[in-house]
């Protein structure tokens, strides 16, 4: 038990996905965590998915990751967000029963072959010949491995703030990773400081639910995972209340007590998930902010008040909470708090998530400057896969921007770094019409099959589904209507004499699969899911053809590698400013170089020409 192929440090969302991916890849893997019981714990909001985030969950599932299946097991309020908008920007989200989710993740981890669990604390890395060769545990001593994945979340020098009270912690009730943070700094890895926060937890039995607005689940829950046939857990409502003028007055008068505004917190917080103090300061003209009262479980009276993350003193928290409709007599079970923690500048990473300074050391999750379960899990999967490949002397797998939101996120982090905790949105992708949640399996599962990352059950299910969709596609393209025939059915098409196939007709806004079934009953042989997929695909077909050209250009630039020994100072015509930025960023491809601030088409052409000249000289020499 002291020799493994891959060691994963941390049992959160990133760690579980990393450990599972490494083990599924055939690597003998150790997952090290402080406590087995905390594996799969949701440390902040009890929800999975959302806009952009839901896409990541579907992509994780397409590569046979854990999060989608666990969310389907623990989901108690499924909702498809942006339903009125196009399929490319819709996002599936579910409220989670914390206990059910944790149990589901733990079951999947315990059942995974090649995966061993160790309960201990990592205090140092073993580095030999400038590369990782293991870790040192508090109790277990030295454990060796070909690769190590760090997924430390908010634990690196974690510091909790409530008012003027501060104490070291990774999250409430758990000690931070102090020694490991010190060792990373010792190896001259660039560290920064970030901040996040969480709202207080409330006793649902003491809330006055009468008169509050209700948010209902969808009538027909849509699961995240391809392997989930239907959602079995009961679906619940969430209530909605609002802050008010009195709430805002209490906050304004006590901002000096808030750690964020007193100067006690140095870390940068997430812009898209601000504390209630930030909302009042930055949006002071608003008369109220929504608060979603979200149950933490079917058999749990704890309520998560989504929207009032705070680090104010406990007595002030009680005052502001009790000023809100429905919460006048509420009992606070745990105060809200802010937490500061160290992160590593992600520009020090390869796109495989390997740390350049220490070969064999991979990083995933909040340690890379992201925020959110979904972003962490997606990185964990990639880091675990590549750690296993590194241990097996195989080349890394790079998921491109053109392939998945996972690729978009990693490229953003590695190429541009962060100025605040990174959160995924559909707007971050220039190819979002192609990277839809509904086609995640088609985009990524074939890659997973090729890599041996996919279970036999998923492979069989995917291939069967793909075969049925292909039959539906072929049938839709084999039948057609003339413009005059289309007019008989009330379809408005140009009278240009051109036949429209059923596939073409689905691209018209007023035509859906139900109308096609009325004309061609043969479509009735295909299930609802297949027909929905066909309809969405046909709607986007024209746009995707246009995007293919842009994607081809980017893929070409991604293939043009900038070697480590390229000397930018030797490229005549480049400005000194760009040379300095290129030396600092060390881009690995032309696509990465293109993202550097101030980069021009002329400068890119100079770099490309220099690379081609060097290659020609090397060929001539050999």
């Amino acid at each position: 038990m002291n020799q493994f192929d891959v060691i994963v440090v941390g049992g959160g969302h990133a760690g579980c996905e990393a450990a599972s991916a490494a083990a599924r890849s055939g690597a003998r893997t150790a997952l090290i965590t402080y406590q087995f019981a905390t594996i799969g714990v949701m440390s902040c909001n009890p929800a999975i998915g959302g806009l952009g985030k839901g896409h990541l969950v579907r992509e994780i599932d397409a590569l046979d990751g854990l999060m989608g299946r666990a969310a389907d097991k623990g989901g108690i309020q499924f909702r498809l967000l942006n339903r009125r908008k196009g399929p490319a920007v819709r996002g599936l989200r579910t409220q989670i029963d914390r206990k059910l989710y944790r149990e589901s993740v733990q079951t999947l981890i315990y059942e995974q072959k090649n995966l061993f669990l160790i309960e201990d604390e990592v205090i140092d890395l073993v580095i030999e010949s400038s590369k990782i060769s293991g870790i040192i545990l508090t109790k277990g001593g030295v454990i060796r491995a070909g690769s190590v994945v760090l997924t430390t979340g908010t634990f690196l020098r974690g510091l909790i703030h409530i008012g003027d009270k501060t104490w070291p912690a990774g999250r409430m009730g758990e000690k931070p990773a102090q020694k490991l943070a010190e060792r990373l700094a010792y190896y001259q890895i660039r560290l920064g400081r970030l901040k996040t926060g969480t709202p207080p937890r409330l006793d649902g039995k003491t809330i006055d639910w009468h008169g509050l607005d209700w948010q209902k689940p969808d009538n027909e829950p849509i699961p995240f995972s391809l392997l989930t046939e239907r959602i079995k857990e009961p679906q619940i409502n969430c209530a909605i209340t609002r802050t008010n003028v009195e709430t805002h007055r209490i906050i304004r008068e006590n901002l000096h007590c808030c750690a964020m505004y007193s100067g006690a917190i140095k870390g940068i917080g997430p812009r898209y998930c601000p504390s209630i103090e930030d909302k009042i300061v930055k949006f002071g003209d608003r008369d109220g902010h929504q608060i979603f009262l979200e149950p933490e479980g079917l058999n749990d009276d704890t309520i998560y008040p989504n929207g009032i993350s705070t680090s104010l003193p406990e007595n002030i928290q009680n005052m502001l909470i009790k000023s809100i409709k429905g919460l006048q007599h509420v009992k606070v079970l745990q105060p809200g708090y802010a937490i500061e923690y160290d992160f590593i500048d992600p520009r020090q990473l390869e796109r495989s998530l390997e740390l350049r300074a220490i070969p064999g050391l991979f990083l995933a999750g909040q340690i890379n400057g992201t925020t959110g379960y979904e972003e962490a899990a997606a990185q964990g999967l990639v880091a675990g896969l590549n750690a296993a490949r590194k241990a097996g002397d195989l080349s890394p797998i790079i998921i491109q921007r053109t392939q998945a939101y996972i690729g978009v996120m990693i490229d953003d982090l590695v190429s541009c770094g962060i100025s605040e905790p990174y959160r995924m949105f559909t707007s971050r992708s220039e190819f979002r019409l192609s990277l839809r949640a509904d086609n995640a399996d088609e985009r990524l599962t074939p890659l997973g099959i090729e890599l041996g990352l996919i279970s036999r059950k998923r492979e069989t299910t995917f291939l069967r589904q793909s075969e049925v969709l292909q039959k539906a596609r072929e049938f839709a393209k084999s039948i057609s209507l003339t413009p005059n025939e289309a007019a008989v059915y009330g379809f408005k098409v140009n009278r240009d004499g051109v036949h429209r196939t059923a596939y073409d007709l689905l691209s018209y806004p007023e035509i859906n699969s139900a109308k096609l079934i009325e004309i061609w009953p043969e479509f009735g042989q295909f299930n609802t899911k297949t027909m929905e997929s066909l309809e969405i695909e046909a709607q986007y077909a024209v746009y995707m053809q246009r995007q293919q050209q842009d994607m081809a250009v980017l893929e070409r630039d991604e293939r043009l590698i900038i070697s480590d020994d390229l000397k930018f100072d030797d490229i005549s015509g480049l400005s000194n400013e760009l040379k300095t930025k290129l030396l600092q960023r060390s881009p690995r491809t032309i696509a990465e170089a293109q993202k550097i601030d101030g980069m021009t088409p002329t400068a890119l052409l100079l770099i490309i020409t220099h690379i081609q000249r060097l290659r020609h000289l090397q060929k001539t020499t050999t």
Side-chain angles (χ1 to χ4, degrees):
M1 292 297 290
N2 62 355
Q3 180 68 51
F4 295 91
D5 297 316
V6 175
I7 294 170
V8 178
V9 182
H13 302 281
C16 288
E17 294 291 354
S20 176
R24 295 200 309 277
S25 299
R28 177 179 161 86
T29 304
L31 175 58
I32 301 174
T33 181
Y34 285 150
Q35 293 179 301
F36 294 152
T38 61
I39 288 176
V41 164
M42 308 184 83
S43 44
C44 191
N45 64 313
I48 292 290
L51 302 179
K53 291 171 173 283
H55 288 68
L56 287 176
V57 181
R58 287 286 295 113
E59 291 176 354
I60 291 166
D61 185 71
L63 291 169
D64 215 17
L66 313 180
M67 181 168 274
R69 283 177 283 166
D72 288 345
K73 291 279 189 181
I76 55 178
Q77 195 210 54
F78 281 83
R79 295 176 63 243
L80 183 63
L81 310 181
N82 271 357
R83 187 180 286 273
R84 295 180 182 178
K85 296 185 179 181
V89 294
R90 293 172 188 162
L92 183 60
R93 180 187 189 274
T94 183
Q95 196 66 28
I96 291 288
D97 182 307
R98 289 186 189 273
K99 180 173 179 289
L100 292 176
Y101 184 88
R102 184 181 71 249
E103 289 175 348
S104 179
V105 172
Q106 290 179 1
T107 298
L108 291 168
I109 288 293
Y110 290 143
E111 291 177 348
Q112 179 61 56
K113 294 179 181 178
N114 298 325
L115 182 55
F116 302 85
L117 301 173
I118 299 174
E119 195 174 44
D120 209 332
E121 178 187 3
V122 177
I123 56 174
D124 204 355
L125 307 173
V126 179
I127 297 176
E128 298 171 337
S129 301
S130 301
K131 64 181 181 180
I132 200 81
S133 62
I135 50 94
I136 300 176
L137 300 173
T138 300
K139 295 180 290 186
V142 175
I143 297 183
R144 296 192 174 273
S147 301
V148 174
V149 184
L150 291 184
T151 67
T152 51
T154 59
F155 280 68
L156 282 182
R157 281 200 288 234
L159 188 66
I160 283 181
H161 296 263
I162 301 179
D164 60 358
K165 298 177 182 177
T166 64
W167 66 92
R171 56 190 171 205
M172 187 66 83
E174 297 183 54
K175 62 181 181 178
Q178 300 281 42
K179 293 181 180 178
L180 185 56
E182 292 167 5
R183 297 306 288 166
L184 289 172
Y186 171 81
Y187 294 117
Q188 298 184 331
I189 296 165
R190 294 195 305 275
L191 301 175
R193 198 79 170 149
L194 291 176
K195 168 258 178 187
T196 190
T198 192
R201 305 300 194 269
L202 310 178
D203 184 348
K205 298 191 298 294
T206 62
I207 293 176
D208 182 3
W209 299 97
H210 301 291
L212 298 182
D213 295 328
W214 292 96
Q215 181 188 71
K216 297 182 178 180
D218 289 345
N219 291 329
E220 296 183 12
I222 300 172
F224 279 107
S225 178
L226 174 73
L227 298 181
T228 303
E229 294 182 5
R230 64 183 181 88
I231 302 301
K232 297 179 181 179
E233 294 300 328
Q235 299 295 286
I236 55 100
N237 296 329
C238 293
I240 305 173
T241 185
R242 291 178 67 85
T243 61
N244 52 57
V245 173
E246 175 62 11
T247 313
H248 299 181
R249 181 194 66 78
I250 294 169
I251 294 169
R252 284 195 187 95
E253 290 182 358
N254 291 280
L255 279 175
H256 63 283
C257 302
C258 172
M260 194 67 191
Y261 287 91
S262 69
I265 292 179
K266 307 300 181 185
I268 301 169
R271 185 195 321 176
Y272 300 104
C273 188
S275 65
I276 188 63
E277 298 95 294
D278 271 344
K279 291 179 185 178
I280 303 310
V281 170
K282 295 176 181 177
F283 308 102
D285 56 330
R286 299 193 41 186
D287 60 358
H289 296 272
Q290 277 190 327
I291 301 168
F292 295 87
L293 301 177
E294 301 173 342
E296 296 199 348
L298 296 172
N299 301 305
D300 188 343
D301 293 316
T302 306
I303 299 296
Y304 181 94
N306 195 338
I308 51 172
S309 175
T310 180
S311 61
L312 284 162
E314 290 185 50
N315 62 322
I316 307 300
Q317 289 189 36
N318 284 328
M319 288 171 60
L320 77 87
I321 290 168
K322 291 183 178 181
S323 71
I324 297 168
K325 182 179 178 180
L327 307 182
Q328 294 90 334
H329 307 291
V330 76
K331 178 181 178 183
V332 178
L333 301 176
Q334 175 185 296
Y337 61 88
I339 183 167
E340 277 188 289
Y341 56 95
D342 285 352
F343 80 102
I344 288 172
D345 184 342
R347 290 173 294 183
Q348 299 169 100
L349 301 172
E350 300 285 2
R351 289 171 66 192
S352 63
L353 296 181
E354 183 179 19
L355 191 63
R356 290 178 181 177
I358 306 177
L361 180 60
F362 294 78
L363 310 180
Q366 285 176 286
I367 192 173
N368 290 339
T370 59
T371 181
Y373 306 143
E374 302 83 1
E375 291 87 348
Q379 291 172 72
L381 192 151
V382 173
L385 167 63
N386 280 317
R389 294 182 67 82
K390 181 82 174 185
D393 292 324
L394 298 172
S395 58
I397 296 299
I398 308 300
I399 298 180
Q400 308 290 351
R401 293 185 74 90
T402 54
Q403 286 181 284
Y405 276 94
I406 295 174
V408 172
M409 173 179 60
I410 293 175
D411 185 49
D412 284 349
L413 292 171
V414 173
S415 299
C416 305
I418 65 156
S419 58
E420 61 185 85
Y422 180 97
R423 179 177 179 178
M424 178 51 69
F425 295 102
T426 54
S427 59
R428 292 192 186 274
S429 173
E430 59 272 55
F431 306 118
R432 58 183 174 274
L433 298 185
S434 301
L435 307 184
R436 306 186 308 275
D438 66 273
N439 68 0
D441 298 311
E442 292 178 65
R443 289 187 279 114
L444 294 174
T445 301
L447 172 64
I449 293 172
E450 180 184 339
L451 297 173
L453 197 62
I454 304 298
S455 69
R456 182 62 59 85
K457 180 180 180 181
R458 180 178 296 275
E459 181 178 352
T460 301
T461 304
F462 168 73
L463 293 176
R464 183 171 61 244
Q465 178 178 285
S466 297
E467 182 181 356
V468 173
L469 179 59
Q470 179 62 17
K471 286 182 179 179
R473 187 184 295 123
E474 290 173 355
F475 178 64
K477 291 181 177 181
S478 70
I479 52 179
S480 61
L481 296 177
T482 66
N484 289 336
E485 290 171 335
V488 171
Y489 293 106
F491 300 158
K492 296 178 182 179
V493 301
N494 291 336
R495 292 180 177 271
D496 51 11
V498 176
H499 289 230
R500 266 75 174 182
T501 67
Y503 192 83
D504 296 331
L505 291 170
L506 280 174
S507 66
Y508 288 75
E510 72 276 8
I511 302 174
N512 56 28
S513 55
K515 290 186 178 181
L516 294 191
I517 292 174
E518 293 177 5
I519 303 170
W520 294 286
E522 296 92 331
F523 276 117
Q525 68 181 295
F526 303 111
N527 60 38
T528 302
K529 185 174 182 179
T530 299
M531 292 305 295
E532 286 177 352
S533 297
L534 183 69
E535 187 175 322
I536 293 171
E537 178 188 299
Q539 287 174 0
Y540 282 103
V542 174
Y543 304 103
M544 288 182 67
Q545 289 172 6
R546 297 172 187 168
Q547 274 200 355
Q548 289 299 325
Q549 298 174 356
D550 296 333
M551 294 168 81
V553 171
L554 180 58
E555 288 169 357
R556 179 201 65 198
D557 291 343
E558 293 287 6
R559 288 193 295 271
L560 192 50
I561 303 298
I562 300 175
S563 63
D564 291 335
D565 57 357
L566 181 69
K567 295 180 174 60
F568 294 111
D569 284 334
D570 293 345
I571 305 176
S572 60
L574 277 184
S575 69
N576 288 332
E577 180 186 358
L578 273 180
K579 288 179 180 179
T580 300
K581 289 180 178 178
L582 285 162
L583 288 168
Q584 289 174 341
R585 296 280 288 276
S586 300
R588 289 297 193 248
T589 66
I590 287 297
E592 287 183 23
Q594 191 172 17
K595 297 185 181 76
I596 293 176
D597 182 41
M599 183 61 67
T600 65
T602 301
L604 278 175
L605 184 59
L606 288 171
I607 298 170
I608 292 170
T609 303
H610 189 75
I611 292 172
Q612 291 172 339
R613 187 184 300 122
L614 289 176
R615 287 181 178 176
H616 178 71
L617 287 172
Q618 289 171 353
K619 287 181 180 179
T620 304
T621 304
T622 55

